[in-house]
Amino acid sequence: MDSASATLEPLFAFMAQSLSTLEFAFNKLPGSAVLLRYVKSSHQNDPGRTILEVILVIFAIRTLLQSRTRADRTGKHFIQFSDKEIDELVDEWTPEPLDTPLTAAEKADLAAVPVIAGPNGPKPKLVGTGKTAINLASFNFTGLAGNENIKQTAVETLRKYGLGSCGPPGFYGTLDVHMQLERDIADFLGTEASILYSQGFSTISSVIPAFCKRGDIIVADRGVNFAIHKGIQISRSTVRWFDHNDLKSLEDVLETIEKDRKKRRGPVTRRFIITEGIFEKDGAMIDLPKLIEIKYKHKYRLILDESFSFGIVGRTGRGLTELYNVPAEKVDMLVGSVAIGLCAGGGFCAGSQTVVDHQRINGTSFVFSASMPALLSVSASEGINVLRSSPSILSTLQENVRAARAILDRVDCISIPSHPASPIIHIYIRSPSSTLHPASAALSPKPSNPTSPLPREATTWNWDIESEEHILQDVVEEALAQGVMITKAKRLRGQETVEARPSIRLALTSALTKKDTEKAATVVKSAFVKVLSKRR
């Protein structure tokens, strides 16, 4: 026994020395004392846990060391095809469509779109007939599209900078012409600064979630456009709705919100009013001075979308702030379209320097989208110079609006909800038993539910969208046959929160003479009378 112990003694001594060396090396490691204390505590309180952790560590090491793929590299389990069989399979394969096929109505609408030869303008040439037509379908309110000076400047810019910017503004997509346009817009409107967006639609839908977050309160008009609805949806804010273009309803909703907050003893959160200057859906116009008064009274911030009023109304095209003589700095976020108002591309948001700087890191469309081409920026700057130097353009536009309305307002079979000064005119088929506009509840004696985007009158709408679309398309084709190009208002049916009633949308322009405008309005009048008389 003593001899066996004597034989194993060197082994025990070696193991003790090895453990001592390992313990010394382990204790030299940073954090070893904490790990040792954790293992001792774990083993003392729950030895089974320590065993489980050791198993998990071993399993993790094994997983990291084993092969990442178990594919059979030999190919013995693969099905072998001949070249002929492969060709047959390829010929038989039919890829799935990237989008749903067009419906019969969509195909008919697409086929009915007139094709023009050469550049678009106030009197484009039709491919089908070879004749020119008066254009009341395109957004060319001040006649900047086709302006030769702007065109020449754009060509020179294209040769200098190339076409695309190849990057988002915050990375390497900002050029000197972009910064110049931002300064031009801010100076034109009378604000501290402005910021450019490369797409008109994504401008307002990016501005709203840049400022409005979860827990904030948004009070919006029921008649706002689809882009605003998308921005509100992205923001995830608490939303309340007021009746379309009804500032009395707005005040009622604001007072209700404040009463509810005091009742719940809730904190004061950021609060916003969102509306349009001239509404895209029906051409109505907001009473801006009254809106500013309400905003200050209830301490809300105002996000005003002037996509269809900037560059279009006012003595020099500065929009509603100029039309109503309201300082632009009283609007917290003034959003406009460079594509519509200046016939270029993209959009902008003007306001204080703080408002603009905030969007440079929080505006998703600004941060992640490539900036607009340089030639469009220069074209927009030139457009502003034209509006500054030629205020008669806006006077001609308003003269044409009055001439057209003088003819159309006397037609019994139609109704026009647009403001008398709005160059965008929507025309509905008059029906005694139906509401003019799905967002109009201003004349309702009962207040609508502020939590719903639909007014109370939604249950009484009895107009048929499909039937009215067909009638209006017949009007479009009849007018085109008489040499006037008009269009139905395009809608995303099934996607919009409030389905707008079908309408004809006229876009008047200063590029036409008063005589041409009166002629076109007379043709539209006769087309309506002719088509509707056949239907009745």
Side-chain angles (χ1 to χ4, degrees):
M1 187 69 178
D2 294 337
S3 60
S5 300
T7 305
L8 295 175
E9 186 173 353
L11 178 61
F12 292 150
F14 174 75
M15 293 178 62
Q17 184 179 2
S18 299
L19 289 174
S20 178
T21 304
L22 289 173
E23 183 180 3
F24 177 77
F26 176 77
N27 290 334
K28 297 288 287 183
L29 295 175
S32 59
V34 177
L35 181 61
L36 183 61
R37 186 167 60 251
Y38 168 76
V39 172
K40 289 180 178 180
S41 176
S42 175
H43 179 77
Q44 179 180 358
N45 299 328
D46 188 3
R49 177 179 173 182
T50 302
I51 296 174
L52 178 61
E53 290 179 351
V54 170
I55 293 174
L56 290 175
V57 170
I58 295 174
F59 177 76
I61 295 174
R62 177 179 176 276
T63 303
L64 291 173
L65 294 178
Q66 72 179 3
S67 175
R68 294 284 179 161
T69 176
R70 297 187 179 184
D72 185 3
R73 301 179 185 274
T74 63
K76 63 181 180 180
H77 297 298
F78 293 168
I79 299 175
Q80 300 295 326
F81 290 101
S82 64
D83 293 341
K84 181 180 179 181
E85 290 174 328
I86 293 175
D87 293 337
E88 290 176 352
L89 289 173
V90 171
D91 292 337
E92 292 175 359
W93 178 70
T94 302
E96 294 183 2
L98 297 177
D99 199 0
T100 56
L102 296 177
T103 63
E106 291 171 337
K107 290 180 180 179
D109 286 345
L110 187 61
V113 174
V115 180
I116 63 174
N120 195 9
K123 291 184 178 181
K125 183 178 180 180
L126 302 178
V127 172
T129 61
K131 300 179 180 179
T132 60
I134 297 176
N135 186 1
L136 296 184
S138 303
F139 291 148
N140 185 24
F141 298 103
T142 52
L144 295 179
N147 183 288
E148 287 300 325
N149 292 333
I150 296 178
K151 178 180 177 181
Q152 184 60 36
T153 304
V155 170
E156 294 173 359
T157 305
L158 177 62
R159 290 171 177 165
K160 178 180 179 180
Y161 292 92
L163 182 58
S165 59
C166 301
F171 193 26
Y172 50 81
T174 298
L175 303 173
D176 56 344
V177 293
H178 295 141
M179 295 185 290
Q180 182 60 49
L181 177 56
E182 290 180 343
R183 289 191 293 268
D184 289 342
I185 292 174
D187 180 65
F188 185 59
L189 292 174
T191 59
E192 290 184 11
S194 71
I195 181 173
L196 284 178
Y197 289 85
S198 53
Q199 296 94 21
F201 179 91
S202 62
T203 300
I204 186 66
S205 59
S206 180
V207 170
I208 293 174
F211 294 98
C212 309
K213 307 297 181 181
R214 187 189 297 274
D216 296 340
I217 296 176
I218 292 176
V219 182
D221 190 297
R222 283 190 168 87
V224 293
N225 60 54
F226 183 65
I228 293 179
H229 276 281
K230 282 295 158 187
I232 292 174
Q233 179 183 358
I234 296 170
S235 72
R236 300 179 297 175
S237 301
T238 301
V239 186
R240 295 294 180 265
W241 304 90
F242 66 94
D243 292 333
H244 177 48
N245 205 21
D246 182 3
L247 297 185
K248 175 62 170 62
S249 173
L250 170 60
E251 283 206 272
D252 292 340
V253 172
L254 298 182
E255 291 172 0
T256 301
I257 292 173
E258 184 62 17
K259 289 178 181 179
D260 182 64
R261 185 192 69 81
K262 290 180 178 179
K263 183 179 179 180
R264 295 183 293 102
R265 296 182 180 179
V268 177
T269 61
R270 289 175 296 190
R271 302 177 295 184
F272 302 85
I273 297 172
I274 300 178
T275 187
E276 294 182 74
I278 292 180
F279 289 87
E280 180 269 338
K281 284 188 176 181
D282 62 359
M285 185 184 296
I286 196 73
D287 185 350
L288 185 58
K290 179 64 175 176
L291 180 61
I292 296 294
E293 178 185 336
I294 294 174
K295 165 206 159 196
Y296 281 115
K297 176 181 176 182
H298 295 273
K299 296 180 175 59
Y300 274 67
R301 294 182 176 93
L302 174 60
I303 301 178
L304 182 64
D305 186 357
E306 287 214 63
S307 294
F308 286 88
S309 52
F310 169 76
I312 300 170
V313 297
R315 190 182 67 86
T316 57
R318 287 174 168 86
L320 260 63
T321 55
E322 183 179 45
L323 182 66
Y324 286 106
N325 196 26
V326 174
E329 62 264 18
K330 291 189 175 182
V331 180
D332 300 279
M333 299 94 179
L334 198 158
V335 180
S337 173
V338 181
I340 297 172
L342 299 175
C343 296
F348 69 88
C349 179
S352 66
Q353 189 67 53
T354 303
V355 164
V356 168
D357 291 342
H358 178 79
Q359 293 176 73
R360 297 196 189 278
I361 57 174
N362 288 278
T364 52
S365 180
F366 181 86
V367 173
F368 298 108
S369 297
S371 54
M372 71 170 66
L375 66 93
L376 294 181
S377 298
V378 173
S379 299
S381 292
E382 288 296 316
I384 291 176
N385 293 334
V386 171
L387 295 180
R388 286 179 187 270
S389 59
S390 305
S392 60
I393 293 177
L394 279 302
S395 301
T396 302
L397 176 60
Q398 282 303 311
E399 185 179 359
N400 289 344
V401 172
R402 288 190 293 268
R405 290 298 295 265
I407 296 173
L408 297 174
D409 286 341
R410 296 198 300 265
V411 183
D412 295 332
C413 59
I414 64 174
S415 58
I416 301 176
S418 306
H419 189 276
S422 171
I424 179 172
I425 301 175
H426 285 261
I427 305 176
Y428 298 129
I429 300 172
R430 184 183 293 278
S431 176
S433 59
S434 65
T435 307
L436 292 182
H437 187 261
S440 62
L443 301 179
S444 172
K446 296 181 180 180
S448 300
N449 180 7
T451 61
S452 171
L454 294 173
R456 290 187 182 276
E457 284 71 19
T459 57
T460 66
W461 297 339
N462 58 358
W463 34 265
D464 185 353
I465 290 179
E466 185 175 354
S467 175
E468 292 195 5
E469 290 276 9
H470 285 305
I471 295 174
L472 295 177
Q473 183 59 42
D474 291 341
V475 173
V476 170
E477 294 175 3
E478 177 62 29
L480 185 62
Q482 299 184 43
V484 178
M485 190 164 63
I486 60 177
T487 182
K488 296 182 298 182
K490 305 303 181 184
R491 305 297 176 198
L492 295 172
R493 298 297 180 189
Q495 298 186 41
E496 300 195 39
T497 307
V498 179
E499 290 287 356
R501 186 178 180 182
S503 65
I504 293 292
R505 189 209 67 211
L506 305 181
L508 301 186
T509 174
S510 63
L512 294 173
T513 64
K514 181 180 178 181
K515 183 178 179 180
D516 287 334
T517 302
E518 291 175 337
K519 176 184 176 181
T522 303
V523 168
V524 173
K525 170 188 173 181
S526 63
F528 266 102
V529 172
K530 182 177 180 179
V531 171
L532 293 178
S533 62
K534 292 180 180 179
R535 295 272 180 169
R536 293 172 179 172

